Amino acid sequence: MCMLLLACSPAEKHPWFEDRTDQAGVSFVHQSGAVGNFYLPEIMGGGIAIADFNNDNHMDLYFIQSGSLDTQQPPKSNELYLNRGDGTFILQEKSGSEDTGYGIGVATGDYDNDADVDIYVTNVGPNVLLRNEGNGRFTDQTEFAGVGDPNFGSSATFADFDNDGYLDLFVVNYIDWTKERELECYDYGTGIRNYCDPTNYDRPAQDQIYLNNQNGQFTKVTESAGLTEAYGNGLGTVVADFNGDDLLDIAVANDRTVNQLWINQGSMQFKDMSIVWGSAMDDQGIAKAGMGIVARDFDNDSDPDLLVVNIEGETDSYFQNEGTYFKVATAKIGLAQVSRGYTRFGTLLEDFNNDGELDLYLANGRVNYSTESEVADPYAEENLLFMRDSTGAFKHMPDSLNILSRERIHTSRGAATGDLNNDGLMDIVVVNRDEKPYVLMNKTQNVHNWLQLRLFGDHGRDAYHAKVTVTTSERSITRIVQTGGSYLAANSPWIQFGLGESRGPLRLQVNWGDGSIEEFNRIQPNQRVVLLKGGKSKEENLAH
Amino acid sequence: MALCSCLLWCVLAQANTNSEYHECPIDVSLEKVDEEVKTSLTALQNTAASREVVDLGTLGMAYEMNGFPRAAFSCYVECEQLEPSNPIWSYFQALLHAARGETASAIERVTHSLSIDSGYAPAWMWLGEWNLELNELESAKSAYENAYTNGEKEASQIGLARVYMAMDLPLKVINQLADLRGSEIHPYVAGLLGRAYQQLQDSEAASEFFRLATNSGIPGWYDSRSMQKQKFSFSISAQLGQIRAQLKSPLDPLTLDRAENLHRKYHTYKGTLTTAIEANRLAGNIERVRELLNEGIQQFPDYALLYELLGEFHIAQNDYSAAKKQFLRAIELGSEEPWLYIQLGIVFLQEGQTETAHSYFQGAIELDATNPLPHYWQGLIHFATGNNEQADQSFRESIKLDPEFADGYIGLVKVLIKQSQLTEANQLLQQLIELGVDLTEVGVFQGEIERLSTVHD
């Protein structure tokens, strides 16, 4: 009887997250510029990056502002918040990062190998590359670097596709859109004027790939790389080595056009293998409205699997990596039910409670007008938190467990994760359309053991896409250094290992992504450790 | 007692998350919806004040189709209370639960509906679908088998194949789909077979099926219960959608009436105007088309599409000069339709302005690099001006873009004959025959090639 009562009552009283936006000193308010023209970009942004921009070992925040598509309005700029060291932030004015384009998304990476994190912003109009000058100050290098793609950019990611030690750049474009090409659309049910469906335009836009010339400049190699062979209404992207050949591949989530999976053939040549691998469409056999995307090892076989999240009425699409193809197993991991009632964008797959299993946070918000919304914003939806149980299935957390319930309903878009106060728990930042963001500090009772790692490779920069396997006496867990994924966002480069009850010492194996593998032994849990290629490690602190 | 309390608590908790209505609401605010929806729903709300099941049910369906699913849900619940023996009310509730991602509740409701009428195959299909979503594979299998027994043959076979795929039984998938893999194979079935062969590591067979697996979705099934809701789609966009779906030749006179009536009632909507124009064009009412276009241009002077349509109208009347004027205006207003540039190119060509014509064809190519037509027209210009090398290139490009583009072959044959490349010209003629081109035309060229060959010999 007690079991029954527990099963149907909100048993968990302690929320996992606390919204500390105001206390954290974050005053950013996203502005879509919507005034009734229903310009498509107004419903898509904006983005968020979590990274240590001033090299003080604390995660900072960079918010992407949209602004207004009406040229009569004064432009709005992106905002950089530096971490004071305790999870509170101060707006860094005149940092040089205040791009005023109509911002959509963001990517981070050290493209010039000078040991600081640079920023790439996607806009409606020319994108912008901001080089970090080493002290949290930025200069606009777009023109010199040759990466000012003028289209309706969405997500982007840095990655070393040709293994030359320099980060190349992949940019996703959504629709070949201009204000002049905007259409007049009405909701089918209510007849209310609304934003158009991407298929109305029938103008999917070409994604772009830029090769790093190792001198601060890039060369656009989209055509020679083979990327003109396929493209859709691109929104999300994630990079991972899906076929284990030490070459990074690219997955793109497209909105109502089939997804792409660019398998790296070497020598900057790519081939779209999404049909053969099975990620073009899931088991529903239809091009869904793909938005958020993540690539993580769901099934603990040390290769990256793929999750694409879709619009209200469509299930998520989980593609389990079988080495040479994906098996669709969405229902098997419990993601063919609850989330279908929401329009999902930001997608974070992280071990938020350090129990050794990946949890899932979905940042949601409609694109269809709701006449029955419980709040004033007709596009607002609650966000969702899922905890993975011992069977491997994701379980939706009851409202009492997930604080983002009734009073926290907005139209959420980009979402990123990182440990903002260095307490060994991963926090979340979410951008809300025309609203303040959520800065969600992780308040789980951290009774579990954990380990946080940051990896630096040959060039003194983060070893993006290096793969780390941590082995305890009970199990092995594999994670990848990956800032990309989610939606319009860049995550912290630190990787999180929740260890549950497992105690040290731990054995670490690092595949640096260039074929070299190193082991680090006798690492103790509950600390932040920096691993340097060549066998050195540095304990950052002992926080637990 | 404690158990009952708990269950009741659960049910209430569930109900609270599902709907804020305690009964079918007949006073839902219609402030924001369009006029057509407001008028129709208000009438149904008034009728439903009687709280008769038929009126509440009708209102529920109308709510559902016009953007009020939670209100609809409450109506269906009340209908079920008033008429518990009718399986349709729990069935409709199930579909709404499913749309919200409440799969377990959807299963409970559809199971209840089936307990009243176990012979309704679509209900079994949904039960199979939702059990698949819950990864309850044996239950899904059983539901699809029941759907098959109750007459839903093909869709349930595919459902069973999906169950076997989820069970990692690729051979069973292949067997299950054996009847459905003929020459008219559905793209979804091809995709399933591709994945089954992939799991069996037969990459050749997998590739063959993947080639056919285009974006199509799961083949649907006819659900007469849900279909009856369609007539309650009142919004202008919904009505326009219904009318536009019927815009085909020969046009049903009723469709023309509906298009005209909607335009008359909502003449400030661009969509009702263009739909009325298209309906009249299909009905052959030329004067009415002209009238609507002129009215439209008065009303929406910056709407490029109207100038495109007016230009087309003039082309149909062979008035190229008038067409040119309208097309140029459309481009001035920002229209980027490649066919517009092609039409302008043709008009300028007819006027002997070959350079301008060429630039418009180039504009069409820049807007759509996959269209063979502008390349073909550029080929004709080059050929006519004696620039055989460029003509050759343009025609070849048109064929490359569409290997079945007969005009491109014919243009190239002409160039090759002129350049005395008779062997290749002959080969192309053979390809033309294979494409099914009129043999008389091919014969003319063959005769010419023969004549030239004799001269050369």
Side-chain angles (χ1 to χ4, degrees):
Chain A
M1 194 60 60
C2 286
M3 290 300 286
L4 267 171
L5 281 164
L6 281 172
C8 64
S9 66
E12 287 272 1
K13 298 290 183 197
H14 185 77
W16 280 30
F17 295 98
E18 184 181 355
D19 185 356
R20 304 279 296 174
T21 310
D22 293 334
Q23 298 89 331
V26 173
S27 56
F28 174 81
V29 177
H30 175 262
Q31 295 182 40
S32 72
V35 288
N37 292 317
F38 294 92
Y39 293 136
L40 182 67
E42 294 167 357
I43 196 73
M44 306 308 295
I48 167 70
I50 298 180
D52 179 9
F53 293 112
N54 58 353
N55 284 341
D56 65 352
N57 205 23
H58 296 281
M59 289 295 122
D60 310 307
L61 307 177
Y62 184 66
F63 290 96
I64 303 301
Q65 181 61 278
S66 296
S68 172
L69 290 158
D70 179 355
T71 47
Q72 308 299 315
Q73 297 297 316
K76 309 283 179 191
S77 62
N78 301 336
E79 291 181 12
L80 173 65
Y81 288 84
L82 296 181
N83 197 325
R84 288 191 172 100
D86 57 357
T88 67
F89 298 85
I90 183 161
L91 175 64
Q92 180 78 348
E93 291 180 287
K94 296 180 183 166
S95 69
S97 67
E98 299 88 358
D99 180 53
T100 56
Y102 192 92
I104 298 289
V106 61
T108 54
D110 181 8
Y111 79 94
D112 52 357
N113 286 349
D114 64 351
D116 51 36
V117 180
D118 310 300
I119 299 173
Y120 187 74
V121 180
T122 60
N123 287 322
V124 178
N127 297 340
V128 172
L129 177 66
L130 301 167
R131 187 179 70 194
N132 193 332
E133 300 300 343
N135 50 2
R137 303 270 166 191
F138 293 82
T139 56
D140 185 341
Q141 295 291 312
T142 312
E143 200 174 328
F144 177 72
V147 290
D149 188 290
N151 291 299
F152 180 170
S154 49
S155 295
T157 188
F158 285 102
D160 183 4
F161 295 115
D162 58 351
N163 283 342
D164 67 348
Y166 283 80
L167 294 174
D168 311 300
L169 177 64
F170 179 71
V171 179
V172 181
N173 284 313
Y174 185 38
I175 304 268
D176 186 9
W177 184 91
T178 61
K179 268 200 296 187
E180 292 70 31
R181 287 179 191 151
E182 190 50 270
L183 306 169
E184 195 176 306
C185 295
Y186 295 86
D187 181 73
Y188 189 86
T190 57
I192 293 170
R193 176 84 192 270
N194 197 15
Y195 293 96
C196 295
D197 185 281
T199 53
N200 293 131
Y201 303 90
D202 193 20
R203 285 179 180 273
Q206 172 70 59
D207 300 333
Q208 305 290 354
I209 191 162
Y210 297 91
L211 176 70
N212 192 326
N213 297 343
Q214 307 185 3
N215 60 355
Q217 293 180 305
F218 291 78
T219 302
K220 185 159 83 175
V221 293
T222 306
E223 194 163 352
S224 62
L227 263 65
T228 49
E229 293 298 312
Y231 52 93
N233 306 320
L235 285 179
T237 188
V238 69
V239 164
D241 178 10
F242 292 106
N243 58 352
D245 62 356
D246 287 331
L247 291 168
L248 292 173
D249 312 305
I250 306 165
V252 183
N254 288 325
D255 188 359
R256 297 212 187 281
T257 43
V258 295
N259 300 322
Q260 262 88 53
L261 181 71
W262 295 105
I263 296 292
N264 193 334
Q265 311 289 306
S267 310
M268 282 305 266
Q269 298 289 307
F270 292 83
K271 197 170 175 188
D272 179 20
M273 304 286 279
S274 57
I275 294 284
V276 173
W277 272 67
S279 59
M281 299 164 280
D282 67 7
D283 56 346
Q284 307 282 309
I286 196 162
K288 291 183 171 178
M291 288 168 294
I293 187 168
V294 285
R296 304 294 290 265
D297 179 16
F298 282 70
D299 53 352
N300 289 326
D301 62 354
S302 84
D303 59 23
D305 309 294
L306 194 61
L307 176 71
V308 180
V309 298
N310 304 301
I311 200 171
E312 178 183 10
E314 296 177 343
T315 66
D316 297 326
S317 307
Y318 167 58
F319 302 103
Q320 184 176 294
N321 193 337
E322 298 293 300
T324 54
Y325 66 93
F326 291 118
K327 188 191 286 182
V328 179
T330 316
K332 197 173 162 186
I333 62 165
L335 290 180
Q337 308 164 48
V338 178
S339 57
R340 195 177 58 188
Y342 301 82
T343 298
R344 294 86 74 195
F345 285 88
T347 308
L348 303 175
L349 201 57
E350 194 53 82
D351 186 355
F352 292 115
N353 64 348
N354 286 337
D355 67 349
E357 298 290 344
L358 292 169
D359 309 302
L360 176 65
Y361 180 88
L362 295 174
N364 307 321
R366 295 183 186 91
V367 291
N368 296 320
Y369 192 101
S370 171
T371 48
E372 295 185 321
S373 176
E374 293 170 6
V375 294
D377 178 356
Y379 303 103
E381 280 184 326
E382 63 186 287
N383 297 341
L384 300 175
L385 182 64
F386 294 84
M387 186 174 80
R388 204 160 185 208
D389 67 16
S390 54
T391 68
F394 287 92
K395 300 289 181 198
H396 179 216
M397 311 290 273
D399 279 356
S400 59
L401 194 55
N402 174 5
I403 63 149
L404 304 174
S405 54
R406 302 291 172 217
E407 74 278 15
R408 296 278 195 284
I409 301 182
H410 295 104
T411 307
S412 297
R413 292 294 183 253
T417 183
D419 184 355
L420 302 181
N421 54 357
N422 295 354
D423 65 350
L425 292 163
M426 294 300 271
D427 310 301
I428 292 174
V429 183
V430 181
V431 175
N432 296 312
R433 179 181 184 257
D434 289 328
E435 268 293 343
K436 287 193 292 186
Y438 302 142
V439 177
L440 304 177
M441 302 306 292
N442 191 327
K443 295 288 173 191
T444 52
Q445 300 291 315
N446 196 9
V447 294
H448 295 129
N449 296 307
W450 54 275
L451 179 70
Q452 287 183 345
L453 299 176
R454 190 167 180 188
L455 279 70
F456 288 99
D458 284 331
H459 297 268
R461 65 157 169 79
D462 284 290
Y464 299 107
H465 303 104
K467 186 161 83 173
V468 184
T469 301
V470 168
T471 303
T472 69
S473 51
E474 290 90 23
R475 61 188 298 190
S476 289
I477 303 171
T478 299
R479 301 277 187 260
I480 300 169
V481 181
Q482 198 180 47
T483 57
S486 186
Y487 173 76
L488 311 180
N491 297 307
S492 159
W494 285 86
I495 40 180
Q496 177 83 9
F497 289 89
L499 301 170
E501 305 303 319
S502 301
R503 295 188 173 277
L506 309 166
R507 189 159 55 85
L508 275 57
Q509 188 188 64
V510 180
N511 179 339
W512 291 96
D514 57 2
S516 61
I517 293 174
E518 283 184 85
E519 292 210 349
F520 297 82
N521 290 317
R522 306 197 62 75
I523 303 284
Q524 294 300 324
N526 305 320
Q527 61 172 336
R528 293 155 57 82
V529 177
V530 173
L531 301 181
L532 307 175
K533 193 175 175 191
K536 293 178 186 159
S537 66
K538 189 170 78 170
E539 292 174 7
E540 283 296 324
N541 60 19
L542 293 169
H544 197 60
Chain B
M1 182 60 197
L3 174 61
C4 292
S5 303
C6 175
L7 288 173
L8 183 62
W9 190 91
C10 283
V11 168
L12 288 174
Q14 176 85 9
N16 284 336
T17 59
N18 291 339
S19 170
E20 63 194 31
Y21 304 110
H22 299 295
E23 58 180 11
C24 178
I26 56 169
D27 54 354
V28 165
S29 168
L30 304 173
E31 199 182 323
K32 288 177 182 166
V33 299
D34 81 11
E35 278 304 312
E36 198 77 358
V37 175
K38 191 183 291 181
T39 309
S40 305
L41 279 183
T42 304
L44 292 176
Q45 284 178 329
N46 291 338
T47 311
S50 67
R51 305 215 84 81
E52 294 289 332
V53 66
V54 64
D55 301 324
L56 293 172
T58 301
L59 181 61
M61 288 188 269
Y63 276 145
E64 185 178 347
M65 297 311 291
N66 294 283
F68 297 91
R70 282 194 295 146
F73 186 88
S74 303
C75 294
Y76 299 147
V77 169
E78 189 171 341
C79 287
E80 189 188 3
Q81 286 161 1
L82 294 168
E83 193 182 29
S85 61
N86 189 340
I88 202 169
W89 307 124
S90 45
Y91 183 73
F92 287 166
Q93 290 168 44
L95 290 169
L96 285 173
H97 274 303
R100 292 195 290 240
E102 297 158 4
T103 315
S105 301
I107 287 176
E108 187 281 320
R109 292 282 70 205
V110 83
T111 303
H112 179 75
S113 178
L114 281 164
S115 72
I116 301 167
D117 175 8
S118 63
Y120 190 59
W124 288 113
M125 286 301 298
W126 284 120
L127 188 58
E129 182 73 21
W130 297 330
N131 271 302
L132 256 180
E133 286 175 7
L134 285 179
N135 207 36
E136 296 290 346
L137 302 182
E138 285 301 333
S139 301
K141 182 167 172 277
S142 161
Y144 285 129
E145 283 165 351
N146 276 308
Y148 187 90
T149 311
N150 284 287
E152 190 54 70
K153 303 293 182 196
E154 190 174 316
S156 65
Q157 281 179 280
I158 294 168
L160 279 167
R162 292 173 63 208
V163 173
Y164 293 135
M165 185 60 82
M167 288 173 164
D168 285 334
L169 299 170
L171 274 176
K172 283 205 157 198
V173 174
I174 292 164
N175 288 338
Q176 184 63 43
L177 297 173
D179 298 344
L180 306 176
R181 54 187 292 180
S183 58
E184 297 290 308
I185 188 168
H186 190 283
Y188 183 80
V189 173
L192 263 180
L193 285 166
R195 287 204 295 277
Y197 281 111
Q198 194 170 44
Q199 280 196 30
L200 292 168
Q201 299 189 329
D202 182 345
S203 53
E204 201 175 317
S207 300
E208 197 179 313
F209 283 110
F210 282 141
R211 273 193 303 108
L212 305 169
T214 50
N215 175 16
S216 67
I218 303 168
W221 55 89
Y222 184 74
D223 181 352
S224 58
R225 289 180 185 169
S226 293
M227 286 306 289
Q228 64 179 293
K229 295 178 197 164
Q230 299 296 324
K231 63 183 175 214
F232 299 109
S233 285
F234 301 131
S235 77
I236 299 164
S237 14
Q239 290 190 61
L240 272 176
Q242 289 159 7
I243 295 168
R244 294 196 77 83
Q246 299 298 317
L247 289 181
K248 54 193 170 213
S249 193
L251 188 73
D252 179 351
L254 284 175
T255 304
L256 178 62
D257 284 351
R258 281 191 76 189
E260 280 283 8
N261 287 337
L262 202 64
H263 170 57
R264 215 165 286 133
K265 201 166 175 184
Y266 298 103
H267 58 274
T268 57
Y269 281 69
K270 290 174 183 167
T272 60
L273 172 68
T274 51
T275 304
I277 291 170
E278 179 64 5
N280 278 287
R281 192 188 66 76
L282 286 167
N285 300 338
I286 303 300
E287 277 315 306
R288 179 65 181 144
V289 171
R290 189 202 301 269
E291 193 180 290
L292 285 167
L293 282 168
N294 288 325
E295 275 175 22
I297 285 172
Q298 292 286 319
Q299 195 178 358
F300 309 111
D302 295 333
Y303 189 23
L305 178 64
L306 295 178
Y307 297 93
E308 291 173 19
L309 293 173
L310 192 53
E312 267 190 338
F313 175 84
H314 289 309
I315 290 274
Q317 309 298 307
N318 294 321
D319 186 350
Y320 295 99
S321 169
K324 185 173 83 176
K325 195 176 150 197
Q326 302 307 330
F327 287 152
L328 286 171
R329 177 73 180 131
I331 287 177
E332 199 180 302
L333 287 168
S335 177
E336 291 181 323
E337 290 294 338
W339 67 263
L340 201 59
Y341 283 72
I342 295 171
Q343 290 285 7
L344 273 168
I346 295 169
V347 173
F348 279 111
L349 198 57
Q350 281 173 336
E351 292 177 351
Q353 299 188 52
T354 47
E355 268 188 41
T356 313
H358 189 276
S359 69
Y360 275 102
F361 293 132
Q362 193 56 38
I365 290 168
E366 281 162 21
L367 287 168
D368 180 7
T370 64
N371 189 343
L373 270 178
H375 293 283
Y376 167 75
W377 282 101
Q378 284 188 335
L380 286 184
I381 291 174
H382 294 312
F383 186 65
T385 52
N387 192 344
N388 291 330
E389 202 176 313
Q390 281 194 297
D392 181 290
Q393 268 180 25
S394 295
F395 289 133
R396 281 186 199 279
E397 186 61 27
S398 72
I399 298 168
K400 191 176 144 195
L401 289 168
D402 180 2
E404 295 186 0
F405 182 51
D407 286 342
Y409 286 93
I410 291 170
L412 187 54
V413 166
K414 284 180 185 169
V415 176
L416 291 171
I417 289 174
K418 205 164 182 184
Q419 292 177 321
S420 300
Q421 296 179 34
L422 305 180
T423 313
E424 192 185 353
N426 240 331
Q427 286 167 353
L428 287 174
L429 287 177
Q430 287 307 314
Q431 283 178 261
L432 271 173
I433 292 167
E434 282 164 27
L435 288 175
V437 172
D438 180 9
L439 286 174
T440 327
E441 197 171 357
V442 173
V444 172
F445 289 118
Q446 279 176 328
E448 179 67 5
I449 291 170
E450 213 167 292
R451 188 183 68 76
L452 287 171
S453 302
T454 316
V455 172
H456 284 208
D457 289 343

